[in-house]
Amino acid sequence: GQQLNQSPQSMFIQEGEDVSMNCTSSSIFNTWLWYKQDPGEGPVLLIALYKAGELTSNGRLTAQFGITRKDSFLNISASIPSDVGIYFCAGPDFNYGGSQGNLIFGKGTKLSVKP
Amino acid sequence: KAGVTQTPRYLIKTRGQQVTLSCSPISGHRSVSWYQQTPGQGLQFLFEYFSETQRNKGNFPGRFSGRQFSNSRSEMNVSTLELGDSALYLCASSWSGDLDTEAFFGQGTRLTVV
């Protein structure tokens, strides 16, 4: 079945550094989503990607939809302490209908930022 | 515009009991989905409701059920609670649940089964 492999599992970086994380799958996705979750809160949508090759920015965040449709990347530039949290990639789960009403998630990348 | 509201935020139940969780979607959103989040399994899809009908269901036992009301509010119920049901239960709403309509999550209900 579909699986999303997210890496790295965790990152410890210095404030001001750039961050890169990625998500891969053996299946093709037609939508890639990136969420951030703070402790005790629900995931917050950061960026949505709908087209292969698409590059989209949201402030210091940039995400790309891989050309093969089997991967996606999220970059954070000039990290700040409030970037701390868990970042998830997600996509429609075709085992259960394949829409944004039923998403499959990666296991997350936990980001820690040292001031 | 109010976000997705889940109640209660925290709940402690005893094994064997049942529990009902509530989710009020963003105004105008008709699709409501439920997810279970645990440290071991991550975020897993439970079910999705659209216009009061269950549209999709994940791979969870029949003890997990839900419903949606005419105002799009949704409830999920877990019967005969087990220790392994302890988790953060998240609700997400979107306008239609289609591929290009984004899903927004509530803060979740933290369920602890003792």
Side-chain angles (χ1 to χ4, degrees):
Chain A
Q2 283 180 294
Q3 265 191 314
L4 291 180
N5 303 305
Q6 199 170 341
S7 66
Q9 277 188 314
S10 61
M11 303 181 76
F12 293 85
I13 61 166
Q14 204 75 35
E15 184 177 353
E17 286 183 353
D18 295 344
V19 171
S20 286
M21 59 190 78
N22 68 74
C23 203
T24 61
S25 173
S26 57
S27 308
I28 287 173
F29 278 79
N30 48 26
T31 300
W32 284 96
L33 306 165
W34 285 93
Y35 285 89
K36 181 191 177 210
Q37 186 175 28
D38 292 328
E41 302 290 329
V44 173
L45 182 65
L46 299 172
I47 293 179
L49 302 160
Y50 296 108
K51 209 161 120 180
E54 181 181 353
L55 186 73
T56 297
S57 292
N58 178 7
R60 294 177 297 105
L61 277 59
T62 302
Q64 183 157 28
F65 192 141
I67 289 288
T68 65
R69 294 168 62 192
K70 292 184 178 182
D71 57 10
S72 180
F73 303 85
L74 176 70
N75 296 317
I76 306 172
S77 63
S79 58
I80 58 178
S82 62
D83 291 333
V84 163
I86 303 178
Y87 292 80
F88 293 96
C89 60
D93 191 343
F94 283 94
N95 291 313
Y96 303 115
S99 74
Q100 289 208 40
N102 42 88
L103 298 172
I104 183 170
F105 284 81
K107 294 289 189 194
T109 294
K110 186 175 180 181
L111 181 63
S112 301
V113 178
K114 288 183 268 187
Chain B
K1 194 175 183 179
V4 179
T5 304
Q6 290 188 247
T7 56
R9 286 293 308 274
Y10 303 93
L11 209 46
I12 299 175
K13 289 285 188 180
T14 304
R15 197 169 41 179
Q17 286 186 313
Q18 75 163 13
V19 68
T20 299
L21 313 181
S22 179
C23 173
S24 293
I26 292 171
S27 177
H29 284 193
R30 294 160 65 195
S31 167
V32 174
S33 301
W34 290 90
Y35 295 82
Q36 182 195 65
Q37 186 175 27
T38 59
Q41 299 298 318
L43 275 147
Q44 293 186 288
F45 170 70
L46 279 158
F47 28 65
E48 180 204 3
Y49 286 87
F50 181 81
S51 292
E52 301 178 66
T53 302
Q54 187 179 87
R55 190 151 73 169
N56 288 295
K57 186 178 192 308
N59 189 24
F60 278 82
R63 299 186 297 106
F64 292 82
S65 63
R67 59 179 175 166
Q68 187 179 34
F69 302 94
S70 58
N71 60 359
S72 293
R73 191 177 71 84
S74 177
E75 289 181 345
M76 69 163 279
N77 185 77
V78 188
S79 62
T80 320
L81 283 165
E82 300 177 0
L83 296 178
D85 296 332
S86 295
L88 181 67
Y89 289 88
L90 292 159
C91 162
S93 80
S94 68
W95 185 71
S96 68
D98 290 338
L99 277 175
D100 59 351
T101 60
E102 291 146 13
F104 297 90
F105 283 80
Q107 291 179 300
T109 293
R110 171 73 63 185
L111 172 65
T112 302
V113 182
V114 297

